[in-house]
Amino acid sequence: MGGIGVAVADKPQGPYKDLLGKPLINDIKNGAQPIDQYIFKDKDGQYYIIYGGWGHCNIAKLKSDFTALVPFEDGSIYKEITPEKYVEGPIMFIKDGKYYFMWSEGGWTGPNYSVSYAIADSPMGPFKRIDRILQQDPKVATGAGHHSVIHNPKTDKWYIVYHRRPLGITDGNHRVTCIDEMKFDADGKILPVKMTFEGVKPSKL
């Protein structure tokens, strides 16, 4: 079924130890399988956990030490923010004051795994699907999805890190991690990502 825990360490490479001794989230809420957690920090400093598989996505407030969930003003703990065609792998970031919500569609073992996105004025949405921006390229790879995003504030460049399946590989569990540049148009919409074999050049953050 899955479950989401919290681990801590003194350095990024670990070793990590369980902070709570139990899962932070271990139950099915709003139909969302407790997997694929993403931690999002809002402009006011509030942390949220965004997660979910089985075609449902929840958002919940986190205590600043990540030891518990905090109720919303209406007393609820979980709010569903599932957009159209959502499957799993949610992430969120802010750009130019807007909340960008991204997720994976399709089956991760198949060739048509992909990434789509929505934009809203709040981390609660509502999130209306805009378009698919990462998908298989018959000249490069299949099964492209389950991503994250990196922003370099010094250069204002954005990057998408994701997994894909090299051409000719039929094992659904075979995946490689890749990075390519992610660009926006003048209206702030995400342009389709061009998958490359080269990736991106090194840059200091």
Side-chain angles (χ1 to χ4, degrees):
M1 180 190 78
I4 297 171
V6 182
V8 294
D10 294 323
K11 47 192 175 183
Q13 62 268 37
Y16 284 86
K17 64 179 181 180
D18 189 343
L19 179 64
L20 305 178
K22 62 179 181 179
L24 175 69
I25 302 173
N26 198 39
D27 298 320
I28 306 297
K29 301 294 184 180
N30 301 322
Q33 182 188 20
I35 61 168
D36 293 357
Q37 69 281 355
Y38 185 83
I39 305 302
F40 170 71
K41 186 178 182 181
D42 203 353
K43 292 176 284 188
D44 61 0
Q46 175 66 56
Y47 284 98
Y48 295 89
I49 184 167
I50 303 165
Y51 75 92
W54 292 346
H56 293 273
C57 183
N58 286 335
I59 187 170
K61 281 187 175 183
L62 272 170
K63 285 186 66 176
S64 59
D65 60 4
F66 294 8
T67 59
L69 303 180
V70 180
F72 290 99
E73 291 183 0
D74 63 3
S76 65
I77 300 293
Y78 303 91
K79 290 188 180 295
E80 185 170 3
I81 56 171
T82 308
E84 178 189 3
K85 296 187 179 181
Y86 174 92
V87 173
E88 59 188 6
I91 79 153
M92 187 178 290
F93 63 89
I94 299 173
K95 182 179 184 295
D96 299 328
K98 297 290 186 178
Y99 293 82
Y100 286 71
F101 180 45
M102 306 180 77
W103 64 91
S104 293
E105 299 178 349
W108 61 266
T109 60
N112 294 320
Y113 204 44
S114 55
V115 172
S116 291
Y117 80 106
I119 303 174
D121 295 320
S122 160
M124 306 298 151
F127 292 105
K128 183 177 181 181
R129 183 183 185 274
I130 295 175
D131 203 358
R132 179 186 292 127
I133 59 96
L134 177 69
Q135 60 185 319
Q136 67 171 332
D137 183 335
K139 297 180 180 178
V140 181
T142 64
H146 217 300
H147 73 301
S148 191
V149 169
I150 299 171
H151 177 227
N152 185 340
K154 293 181 180 179
T155 62
D156 198 29
K157 285 194 173 184
W158 294 78
Y159 304 96
I160 184 169
V161 183
Y162 61 97
H163 76 58
R164 69 192 193 198
R165 204 163 293 110
L167 297 178
I169 300 295
T170 58
D171 181 357
N173 292 309
H174 184 102
R175 294 169 282 177
V176 296
T177 304
C178 304
I179 180 170
D180 280 301
E181 192 168 353
M182 190 173 78
K183 298 180 179 180
F184 302 79
D185 68 16
D187 296 324
K189 299 226 179 128
I190 303 175
L191 297 172
V193 174
K194 179 176 174 54
M195 289 199 291
T196 67
F197 291 111
E198 298 80 16
V200 299
K201 294 180 180 179
S203 62
K204 292 184 179 181
L205 296 177

